[in-house]
Amino acid sequence: MTDPALQPGTVLLLTRAASPQFYRPVTLRLIRVLDRPTYDGWLWVEGYQLNPRGDAIDKRELFVRREGLRVVHAAPQPVVRRPLAGQRR
């Protein structure tokens, strides 16, 4: 994955700018960008479609225009935890 904005966990809003198939906007929590041959500026993404409450309702693979993707929430940053004194990892 070359684009840092497209990390697993990123929430995207897909509209007609991403593809004509999204006449109704779709919110997607990204799992990964798929490594499939495609046209320049387009890509395949895999993710969970979210309902208005943010719950995953369907797993989807979608063909989208890179420039049409809108990031709603960036992927959460991993938390590095240090062991407490006397604890082993």
Side-chain angles (χ1 to χ4, degrees), residues 43-76:
L43 48 97
W44 281 94
V45 294
E46 181 179 26
Y48 292 105
Q49 182 175 344
L50 305 177
N51 67 12
R53 293 187 325 198
D55 300 324
I57 57 173
D58 197 13
K59 186 175 180 181
R60 311 228 0 222
E61 291 183 4
L62 302 166
F63 187 58
V64 294
R65 262 187 69 222
R66 171 64 190 103
E67 289 184 14
L69 301 178
R70 288 186 29 207
V71 175
V72 177
H73 297 288

PDB file of all heavy atoms in Angstrom, residues 43-76:
ATOM      1  N   LEU A  43      -8.526   1.885  -8.332  1.00  0.00           N
ATOM      2  CA  LEU A  43      -8.007   0.810  -7.509  1.00  0.00           C
ATOM      3  C   LEU A  43      -9.144  -0.018  -6.937  1.00  0.00           C
ATOM      4  O   LEU A  43     -10.287   0.418  -6.905  1.00  0.00           O
ATOM      5  CB  LEU A  43      -7.100   1.342  -6.403  1.00  0.00           C
ATOM      6  CG  LEU A  43      -7.577   2.520  -5.555  1.00  0.00           C
ATOM      7  CD1 LEU A  43      -8.178   2.039  -4.262  1.00  0.00           C
ATOM      8  CD2 LEU A  43      -6.392   3.395  -5.259  1.00  0.00           C
ATOM      9  N   TRP A  44      -8.793  -1.215  -6.525  1.00  0.00           N
ATOM     10  CA  TRP A  44      -9.729  -2.104  -5.848  1.00  0.00           C
ATOM     11  C   TRP A  44      -9.477  -1.992  -4.350  1.00  0.00           C
ATOM     12  O   TRP A  44      -8.336  -2.044  -3.899  1.00  0.00           O
ATOM     13  CB  TRP A  44      -9.509  -3.558  -6.278  1.00  0.00           C
ATOM     14  CG  TRP A  44     -10.103  -3.894  -7.599  1.00  0.00           C
ATOM     15  CD1 TRP A  44      -9.472  -3.859  -8.806  1.00  0.00           C
ATOM     16  CD2 TRP A  44     -11.437  -4.321  -7.844  1.00  0.00           C
ATOM     17  NE1 TRP A  44     -10.345  -4.240  -9.797  1.00  0.00           N
ATOM     18  CE2 TRP A  44     -11.560  -4.532  -9.235  1.00  0.00           C
ATOM     19  CE3 TRP A  44     -12.547  -4.546  -7.040  1.00  0.00           C
ATOM     20  CZ2 TRP A  44     -12.743  -4.961  -9.825  1.00  0.00           C
ATOM     21  CZ3 TRP A  44     -13.726  -4.970  -7.627  1.00  0.00           C
ATOM     22  CH2 TRP A  44     -13.818  -5.177  -8.998  1.00  0.00           C
ATOM     23  N   VAL A  45     -10.555  -1.829  -3.592  1.00  0.00           N
ATOM     24  CA  VAL A  45     -10.441  -1.789  -2.133  1.00  0.00           C
ATOM     25  C   VAL A  45     -11.363  -2.838  -1.530  1.00  0.00           C
ATOM     26  O   VAL A  45     -12.398  -3.188  -2.106  1.00  0.00           O
ATOM     27  CB  VAL A  45     -10.781  -0.394  -1.558  1.00  0.00           C
ATOM     28  CG1 VAL A  45      -9.770   0.644  -2.001  1.00  0.00           C
ATOM     29  CG2 VAL A  45     -12.194   0.031  -1.897  1.00  0.00           C
ATOM     30  N   GLU A  46     -10.973  -3.337  -0.375  1.00  0.00           N
ATOM     31  CA  GLU A  46     -11.796  -4.275   0.376  1.00  0.00           C
ATOM     32  C   GLU A  46     -12.084  -3.635   1.720  1.00  0.00           C
ATOM     33  O   GLU A  46     -11.187  -3.046   2.342  1.00  0.00           O
ATOM     34  CB  GLU A  46     -11.062  -5.598   0.562  1.00  0.00           C
ATOM     35  CG  GLU A  46     -11.854  -6.634   1.323  1.00  0.00           C
ATOM     36  CD  GLU A  46     -11.095  -7.942   1.460  1.00  0.00           C
ATOM     37  OE1 GLU A  46      -9.849  -7.940   1.435  1.00  0.00           O
ATOM     38  OE2 GLU A  46     -11.755  -8.969   1.620  1.00  0.00           O
ATOM     39  N   GLY A  47     -13.329  -3.724   2.167  1.00  0.00           N
ATOM     40  CA  GLY A  47     -13.667  -3.128   3.445  1.00  0.00           C
ATOM     41  C   GLY A  47     -15.050  -3.510   3.906  1.00  0.00           C
ATOM     42  O   GLY A  47     -15.767  -4.260   3.238  1.00  0.00           O
ATOM     43  N   TYR A  48     -15.414  -2.977   5.055  1.00  0.00           N
ATOM     44  CA  TYR A  48     -16.730  -3.212   5.628  1.00  0.00           C
ATOM     45  C   TYR A  48     -17.602  -1.984   5.404  1.00  0.00           C
ATOM     46  O   TYR A  48     -17.223  -0.875   5.786  1.00  0.00           O
ATOM     47  CB  TYR A  48     -16.639  -3.491   7.129  1.00  0.00           C
ATOM     48  CG  TYR A  48     -15.968  -4.800   7.444  1.00  0.00           C
ATOM     49  CD1 TYR A  48     -14.672  -4.835   7.932  1.00  0.00           C
ATOM     50  CD2 TYR A  48     -16.633  -6.004   7.236  1.00  0.00           C
ATOM     51  CE1 TYR A  48     -14.051  -6.031   8.213  1.00  0.00           C
ATOM     52  CE2 TYR A  48     -16.013  -7.211   7.516  1.00  0.00           C
ATOM     53  CZ  TYR A  48     -14.731  -7.218   8.002  1.00  0.00           C
ATOM     54  OH  TYR A  48     -14.110  -8.407   8.265  1.00  0.00           O
ATOM     55  N   GLN A  49     -18.761  -2.183   4.790  1.00  0.00           N
ATOM     56  CA  GLN A  49     -19.721  -1.099   4.646  1.00  0.00           C
ATOM     57  C   GLN A  49     -20.333  -0.842   6.014  1.00  0.00           C
ATOM     58  O   GLN A  49     -20.683  -1.772   6.736  1.00  0.00           O
ATOM     59  CB  GLN A  49     -20.813  -1.469   3.649  1.00  0.00           C
ATOM     60  CG  GLN A  49     -21.808  -0.349   3.426  1.00  0.00           C
ATOM     61  CD  GLN A  49     -22.818  -0.674   2.346  1.00  0.00           C
ATOM     62  OE1 GLN A  49     -22.626  -1.592   1.563  1.00  0.00           O
ATOM     63  NE2 GLN A  49     -23.888   0.079   2.314  1.00  0.00           N
ATOM     64  N   LEU A  50     -20.426   0.435   6.388  1.00  0.00           N
ATOM     65  CA  LEU A  50     -20.932   0.819   7.704  1.00  0.00           C
ATOM     66  C   LEU A  50     -22.314   1.419   7.601  1.00  0.00           C
ATOM     67  O   LEU A  50     -22.636   2.134   6.641  1.00  0.00           O
ATOM     68  CB  LEU A  50     -19.985   1.834   8.347  1.00  0.00           C
ATOM     69  CG  LEU A  50     -18.519   1.416   8.475  1.00  0.00           C
ATOM     70  CD1 LEU A  50     -17.702   2.554   9.074  1.00  0.00           C
ATOM     71  CD2 LEU A  50     -18.370   0.151   9.285  1.00  0.00           C
ATOM     72  N   ASN A  51     -23.149   1.169   8.608  1.00  0.00           N
ATOM     73  CA  ASN A  51     -24.451   1.829   8.679  1.00  0.00           C
ATOM     74  C   ASN A  51     -24.269   3.190   9.355  1.00  0.00           C
ATOM     75  O   ASN A  51     -23.155   3.525   9.777  1.00  0.00           O
ATOM     76  CB  ASN A  51     -25.482   0.937   9.386  1.00  0.00           C
ATOM     77  CG  ASN A  51     -25.198   0.720  10.862  1.00  0.00           C
ATOM     78  OD1 ASN A  51     -24.363   1.393  11.463  1.00  0.00           O
ATOM     79  ND2 ASN A  51     -25.880  -0.238  11.458  1.00  0.00           N
ATOM     80  N   PRO A  52     -25.324   4.002   9.476  1.00  0.00           N
ATOM     81  CA  PRO A  52     -25.165   5.338  10.084  1.00  0.00           C
ATOM     82  C   PRO A  52     -24.629   5.325  11.515  1.00  0.00           C
ATOM     83  O   PRO A  52     -24.038   6.301  11.961  1.00  0.00           O
ATOM     84  CB  PRO A  52     -26.585   5.923  10.032  1.00  0.00           C
ATOM     85  CG  PRO A  52     -27.216   5.243   8.857  1.00  0.00           C
ATOM     86  CD  PRO A  52     -26.662   3.846   8.872  1.00  0.00           C
ATOM     87  N   ARG A  53     -24.799   4.218  12.249  1.00  0.00           N
ATOM     88  CA  ARG A  53     -24.269   4.133  13.616  1.00  0.00           C
ATOM     89  C   ARG A  53     -22.805   3.716  13.644  1.00  0.00           C
ATOM     90  O   ARG A  53     -22.189   3.687  14.696  1.00  0.00           O
ATOM     91  CB  ARG A  53     -25.081   3.144  14.443  1.00  0.00           C
ATOM     92  CG  ARG A  53     -26.490   3.593  14.699  1.00  0.00           C
ATOM     93  CD  ARG A  53     -27.211   2.681  15.639  1.00  0.00           C
ATOM     94  NE  ARG A  53     -26.802   1.283  15.452  1.00  0.00           N
ATOM     95  CZ  ARG A  53     -27.489   0.254  15.874  1.00  0.00           C
ATOM     96  NH1 ARG A  53     -28.611   0.428  16.518  1.00  0.00           N
ATOM     97  NH2 ARG A  53     -27.064  -0.975  15.672  1.00  0.00           N
ATOM     98  N   GLY A  54     -22.252   3.329  12.478  1.00  0.00           N
ATOM     99  CA  GLY A  54     -20.858   2.910  12.419  1.00  0.00           C
ATOM    100  C   GLY A  54     -20.657   1.420  12.557  1.00  0.00           C
ATOM    101  O   GLY A  54     -19.530   0.946  12.672  1.00  0.00           O
ATOM    102  N   ASP A  55     -21.749   0.647  12.528  1.00  0.00           N
ATOM    103  CA  ASP A  55     -21.653  -0.810  12.618  1.00  0.00           C
ATOM    104  C   ASP A  55     -21.412  -1.393  11.233  1.00  0.00           C
ATOM    105  O   ASP A  55     -22.007  -0.950  10.249  1.00  0.00           O
ATOM    106  CB  ASP A  55     -22.945  -1.409  13.178  1.00  0.00           C
ATOM    107  CG  ASP A  55     -23.277  -0.911  14.566  1.00  0.00           C
ATOM    108  OD1 ASP A  55     -22.330  -0.712  15.357  1.00  0.00           O
ATOM    109  OD2 ASP A  55     -24.469  -0.711  14.857  1.00  0.00           O
ATOM    110  N   ALA A  56     -20.566  -2.411  11.154  1.00  0.00           N
ATOM    111  CA  ALA A  56     -20.311  -3.095   9.886  1.00  0.00           C
ATOM    112  C   ALA A  56     -21.543  -3.916   9.515  1.00  0.00           C
ATOM    113  O   ALA A  56     -22.053  -4.688  10.330  1.00  0.00           O
ATOM    114  CB  ALA A  56     -19.096  -3.990  10.009  1.00  0.00           C
ATOM    115  N   ILE A  57     -22.017  -3.723   8.276  1.00  0.00           N
ATOM    116  CA  ILE A  57     -23.203  -4.458   7.837  1.00  0.00           C
ATOM    117  C   ILE A  57     -22.921  -5.371   6.652  1.00  0.00           C
ATOM    118  O   ILE A  57     -23.718  -6.253   6.350  1.00  0.00           O
ATOM    119  CB  ILE A  57     -24.375  -3.505   7.492  1.00  0.00           C
ATOM    120  CG1 ILE A  57     -23.970  -2.499   6.431  1.00  0.00           C
ATOM    121  CG2 ILE A  57     -24.887  -2.828   8.744  1.00  0.00           C
ATOM    122  CD1 ILE A  57     -25.107  -1.638   5.910  1.00  0.00           C
ATOM    123  N   ASP A  58     -21.790  -5.174   5.965  1.00  0.00           N
ATOM    124  CA  ASP A  58     -21.478  -6.002   4.802  1.00  0.00           C
ATOM    125  C   ASP A  58     -20.007  -5.865   4.451  1.00  0.00           C
ATOM    126  O   ASP A  58     -19.440  -4.783   4.564  1.00  0.00           O
ATOM    127  CB  ASP A  58     -22.335  -5.555   3.610  1.00  0.00           C
ATOM    128  CG  ASP A  58     -22.393  -6.569   2.483  1.00  0.00           C
ATOM    129  OD1 ASP A  58     -21.989  -7.731   2.700  1.00  0.00           O
ATOM    130  OD2 ASP A  58     -22.844  -6.211   1.390  1.00  0.00           O
ATOM    131  N   LYS A  59     -19.385  -6.953   4.037  1.00  0.00           N
ATOM    132  CA  LYS A  59     -18.006  -6.914   3.562  1.00  0.00           C
ATOM    133  C   LYS A  59     -18.056  -6.768   2.047  1.00  0.00           C
ATOM    134  O   LYS A  59     -18.785  -7.492   1.374  1.00  0.00           O
ATOM    135  CB  LYS A  59     -17.268  -8.200   3.944  1.00  0.00           C
ATOM    136  CG  LYS A  59     -15.801  -8.173   3.618  1.00  0.00           C
ATOM    137  CD  LYS A  59     -15.124  -9.434   4.139  1.00  0.00           C
ATOM    138  CE  LYS A  59     -13.658  -9.425   3.834  1.00  0.00           C
ATOM    139  NZ  LYS A  59     -13.007 -10.653   4.328  1.00  0.00           N
ATOM    140  N   ARG A  60     -17.272  -5.794   1.497  1.00  0.00           N
ATOM    141  CA  ARG A  60     -17.358  -5.497   0.073  1.00  0.00           C
ATOM    142  C   ARG A  60     -15.975  -5.344  -0.551  1.00  0.00           C
ATOM    143  O   ARG A  60     -15.039  -4.928   0.114  1.00  0.00           O
ATOM    144  CB  ARG A  60     -18.128  -4.184  -0.149  1.00  0.00           C
ATOM    145  CG  ARG A  60     -19.426  -4.122   0.597  1.00  0.00           C
ATOM    146  CD  ARG A  60     -20.653  -3.703  -0.067  1.00  0.00           C
ATOM    147  NE  ARG A  60     -20.694  -3.338  -1.427  1.00  0.00           N
ATOM    148  CZ  ARG A  60     -21.376  -2.292  -1.891  1.00  0.00           C
ATOM    149  NH1 ARG A  60     -21.998  -1.498  -1.060  1.00  0.00           N
ATOM    150  NH2 ARG A  60     -21.427  -2.046  -3.166  1.00  0.00           N
ATOM    151  N   GLU A  61     -15.891  -5.670  -1.835  1.00  0.00           N
ATOM    152  CA  GLU A  61     -14.731  -5.362  -2.669  1.00  0.00           C
ATOM    153  C   GLU A  61     -15.228  -4.397  -3.734  1.00  0.00           C
ATOM    154  O   GLU A  61     -16.180  -4.706  -4.460  1.00  0.00           O
ATOM    155  CB  GLU A  61     -14.162  -6.626  -3.319  1.00  0.00           C
ATOM    156  CG  GLU A  61     -13.509  -7.556  -2.341  1.00  0.00           C
ATOM    157  CD  GLU A  61     -12.898  -8.771  -3.013  1.00  0.00           C
ATOM    158  OE1 GLU A  61     -12.916  -8.874  -4.263  1.00  0.00           O
ATOM    159  OE2 GLU A  61     -12.399  -9.637  -2.281  1.00  0.00           O
ATOM    160  N   LEU A  62     -14.604  -3.219  -3.815  1.00  0.00           N
ATOM    161  CA  LEU A  62     -15.116  -2.156  -4.675  1.00  0.00           C
ATOM    162  C   LEU A  62     -14.037  -1.596  -5.588  1.00  0.00           C
ATOM    163  O   LEU A  62     -12.873  -1.479  -5.198  1.00  0.00           O
ATOM    164  CB  LEU A  62     -15.680  -1.031  -3.804  1.00  0.00           C
ATOM    165  CG  LEU A  62     -16.795  -1.453  -2.840  1.00  0.00           C
ATOM    166  CD1 LEU A  62     -17.042  -0.390  -1.807  1.00  0.00           C
ATOM    167  CD2 LEU A  62     -18.064  -1.749  -3.620  1.00  0.00           C
ATOM    168  N   PHE A  63     -14.437  -1.227  -6.793  1.00  0.00           N
ATOM    169  CA  PHE A  63     -13.573  -0.620  -7.797  1.00  0.00           C
ATOM    170  C   PHE A  63     -13.852   0.874  -7.767  1.00  0.00           C
ATOM    171  O   PHE A  63     -14.975   1.309  -8.045  1.00  0.00           O
ATOM    172  CB  PHE A  63     -13.907  -1.223  -9.168  1.00  0.00           C
ATOM    173  CG  PHE A  63     -12.996  -0.808 -10.271  1.00  0.00           C
ATOM    174  CD1 PHE A  63     -11.634  -1.027 -10.203  1.00  0.00           C
ATOM    175  CD2 PHE A  63     -13.503  -0.205 -11.411  1.00  0.00           C
ATOM    176  CE1 PHE A  63     -10.790  -0.668 -11.241  1.00  0.00           C
ATOM    177  CE2 PHE A  63     -12.678   0.164 -12.455  1.00  0.00           C
ATOM    178  CZ  PHE A  63     -11.316  -0.069 -12.370  1.00  0.00           C
ATOM    179  N   VAL A  64     -12.855   1.689  -7.385  1.00  0.00           N
ATOM    180  CA  VAL A  64     -13.078   3.115  -7.137  1.00  0.00           C
ATOM    181  C   VAL A  64     -11.977   3.976  -7.743  1.00  0.00           C
ATOM    182  O   VAL A  64     -10.864   3.519  -7.958  1.00  0.00           O
ATOM    183  CB  VAL A  64     -13.168   3.409  -5.622  1.00  0.00           C
ATOM    184  CG1 VAL A  64     -14.392   2.771  -5.007  1.00  0.00           C
ATOM    185  CG2 VAL A  64     -11.914   2.967  -4.899  1.00  0.00           C
ATOM    186  N   ARG A  65     -12.330   5.234  -7.998  1.00  0.00           N
ATOM    187  CA  ARG A  65     -11.337   6.236  -8.426  1.00  0.00           C
ATOM    188  C   ARG A  65     -10.619   6.758  -7.201  1.00  0.00           C
ATOM    189  O   ARG A  65     -11.240   7.185  -6.234  1.00  0.00           O
ATOM    190  CB  ARG A  65     -12.058   7.419  -9.096  1.00  0.00           C
ATOM    191  CG  ARG A  65     -12.059   7.353 -10.575  1.00  0.00           C
ATOM    192  CD  ARG A  65     -12.613   8.610 -11.208  1.00  0.00           C
ATOM    193  NE  ARG A  65     -11.700   9.732 -10.987  1.00  0.00           N
ATOM    194  CZ  ARG A  65     -12.104  10.940 -10.655  1.00  0.00           C
ATOM    195  NH1 ARG A  65     -13.374  11.215 -10.505  1.00  0.00           N
ATOM    196  NH2 ARG A  65     -11.222  11.898 -10.489  1.00  0.00           N
ATOM    197  N   ARG A  66      -9.299   6.734  -7.237  1.00  0.00           N
ATOM    198  CA  ARG A  66      -8.496   7.186  -6.095  1.00  0.00           C
ATOM    199  C   ARG A  66      -8.824   8.633  -5.720  1.00  0.00           C
ATOM    200  O   ARG A  66      -8.969   8.956  -4.544  1.00  0.00           O
ATOM    201  CB  ARG A  66      -6.998   7.019  -6.438  1.00  0.00           C
ATOM    202  CG  ARG A  66      -6.044   7.639  -5.453  1.00  0.00           C
ATOM    203  CD  ARG A  66      -6.162   6.957  -4.098  1.00  0.00           C
ATOM    204  NE  ARG A  66      -5.444   7.674  -3.083  1.00  0.00           N
ATOM    205  CZ  ARG A  66      -6.007   8.466  -2.173  1.00  0.00           C
ATOM    206  NH1 ARG A  66      -7.293   8.677  -2.170  1.00  0.00           N
ATOM    207  NH2 ARG A  66      -5.274   9.060  -1.251  1.00  0.00           N
ATOM    208  N   GLU A  67      -8.941   9.504  -6.709  1.00  0.00           N
ATOM    209  CA  GLU A  67      -9.198  10.925  -6.422  1.00  0.00           C
ATOM    210  C   GLU A  67     -10.577  11.172  -5.821  1.00  0.00           C
ATOM    211  O   GLU A  67     -10.802  12.206  -5.211  1.00  0.00           O
ATOM    212  CB  GLU A  67      -9.045  11.749  -7.694  1.00  0.00           C
ATOM    213  CG  GLU A  67      -7.614  11.880  -8.148  1.00  0.00           C
ATOM    214  CD  GLU A  67      -7.481  12.793  -9.358  1.00  0.00           C
ATOM    215  OE1 GLU A  67      -8.437  13.525  -9.683  1.00  0.00           O
ATOM    216  OE2 GLU A  67      -6.407  12.768  -9.966  1.00  0.00           O
ATOM    217  N   GLY A  68     -11.491  10.224  -5.974  1.00  0.00           N
ATOM    218  CA  GLY A  68     -12.843  10.406  -5.457  1.00  0.00           C
ATOM    219  C   GLY A  68     -13.035   9.943  -4.026  1.00  0.00           C
ATOM    220  O   GLY A  68     -14.098  10.138  -3.448  1.00  0.00           O
ATOM    221  N   LEU A  69     -12.007   9.352  -3.419  1.00  0.00           N
ATOM    222  CA  LEU A  69     -12.131   8.868  -2.046  1.00  0.00           C
ATOM    223  C   LEU A  69     -12.004  10.023  -1.056  1.00  0.00           C
ATOM    224  O   LEU A  69     -11.121  10.856  -1.177  1.00  0.00           O
ATOM    225  CB  LEU A  69     -11.040   7.831  -1.744  1.00  0.00           C
ATOM    226  CG  LEU A  69     -11.016   6.593  -2.624  1.00  0.00           C
ATOM    227  CD1 LEU A  69      -9.865   5.694  -2.228  1.00  0.00           C
ATOM    228  CD2 LEU A  69     -12.329   5.850  -2.563  1.00  0.00           C
ATOM    229  N   ARG A  70     -12.923  10.062  -0.083  1.00  0.00           N
ATOM    230  CA  ARG A  70     -12.857  11.076   0.971  1.00  0.00           C
ATOM    231  C   ARG A  70     -12.638  10.380   2.306  1.00  0.00           C
ATOM    232  O   ARG A  70     -13.424   9.517   2.697  1.00  0.00           O
ATOM    233  CB  ARG A  70     -14.153  11.874   1.019  1.00  0.00           C
ATOM    234  CG  ARG A  70     -14.289  12.804  -0.162  1.00  0.00           C
ATOM    235  CD  ARG A  70     -15.479  13.725  -0.095  1.00  0.00           C
ATOM    236  NE  ARG A  70     -15.902  14.081   1.231  1.00  0.00           N
ATOM    237  CZ  ARG A  70     -17.151  14.413   1.542  1.00  0.00           C
ATOM    238  NH1 ARG A  70     -18.082  14.442   0.613  1.00  0.00           N
ATOM    239  NH2 ARG A  70     -17.466  14.734   2.771  1.00  0.00           N
ATOM    240  N   VAL A  71     -11.565  10.757   2.992  1.00  0.00           N
ATOM    241  CA  VAL A  71     -11.272  10.180   4.309  1.00  0.00           C
ATOM    242  C   VAL A  71     -12.157  10.862   5.347  1.00  0.00           C
ATOM    243  O   VAL A  71     -12.146  12.085   5.478  1.00  0.00           O
ATOM    244  CB  VAL A  71      -9.780  10.343   4.671  1.00  0.00           C
ATOM    245  CG1 VAL A  71      -9.512   9.854   6.082  1.00  0.00           C
ATOM    246  CG2 VAL A  71      -8.905   9.613   3.657  1.00  0.00           C
ATOM    247  N   VAL A  72     -12.943  10.048   6.068  1.00  0.00           N
ATOM    248  CA  VAL A  72     -13.807  10.559   7.134  1.00  0.00           C
ATOM    249  C   VAL A  72     -13.053  10.511   8.460  1.00  0.00           C
ATOM    250  O   VAL A  72     -13.058  11.462   9.222  1.00  0.00           O
ATOM    251  CB  VAL A  72     -15.111   9.741   7.223  1.00  0.00           C
ATOM    252  CG1 VAL A  72     -15.980  10.212   8.366  1.00  0.00           C
ATOM    253  CG2 VAL A  72     -15.865   9.812   5.908  1.00  0.00           C
ATOM    254  N   HIS A  73     -12.406   9.380   8.723  1.00  0.00           N
ATOM    255  CA  HIS A  73     -11.600   9.195   9.940  1.00  0.00           C
ATOM    256  C   HIS A  73     -10.331   8.464   9.540  1.00  0.00           C
ATOM    257  O   HIS A  73     -10.382   7.468   8.829  1.00  0.00           O
ATOM    258  CB  HIS A  73     -12.318   8.332  10.992  1.00  0.00           C
ATOM    259  CG  HIS A  73     -13.578   8.940  11.503  1.00  0.00           C
ATOM    260  ND1 HIS A  73     -13.599  10.017  12.344  1.00  0.00           N
ATOM    261  CD2 HIS A  73     -14.871   8.621  11.285  1.00  0.00           C
ATOM    262  CE1 HIS A  73     -14.854  10.329  12.614  1.00  0.00           C
ATOM    263  NE2 HIS A  73     -15.643   9.492  11.980  1.00  0.00           N
ATOM    264  N   ALA A  74      -9.203   8.945  10.026  1.00  0.00           N
ATOM    265  CA  ALA A  74      -7.938   8.266   9.762  1.00  0.00           C
ATOM    266  C   ALA A  74      -7.881   6.982  10.573  1.00  0.00           C
ATOM    267  O   ALA A  74      -8.592   6.820  11.569  1.00  0.00           O
ATOM    268  CB  ALA A  74      -6.770   9.178  10.130  1.00  0.00           C
ATOM    269  N   ALA A  75      -7.028   6.081  10.147  1.00  0.00           N
ATOM    270  CA  ALA A  75      -6.844   4.824  10.877  1.00  0.00           C
ATOM    271  C   ALA A  75      -6.295   5.117  12.266  1.00  0.00           C
ATOM    272  O   ALA A  75      -5.476   6.018  12.436  1.00  0.00           O
ATOM    273  CB  ALA A  75      -5.887   3.918  10.115  1.00  0.00           C
ATOM    274  N   PRO A  76      -6.741   4.364  13.262  1.00  0.00           N
ATOM    275  CA  PRO A  76      -6.200   4.583  14.612  1.00  0.00           C
ATOM    276  C   PRO A  76      -4.720   4.239  14.662  1.00  0.00           C
ATOM    277  O   PRO A  76      -4.263   3.324  13.992  1.00  0.00           O
ATOM    278  CB  PRO A  76      -7.018   3.634  15.487  1.00  0.00           C
ATOM    279  CG  PRO A  76      -7.652   2.667  14.554  1.00  0.00           C
ATOM    280  CD  PRO A  76      -7.717   3.308  13.211  1.00  0.00           C
TER     281      PRO A  76
END
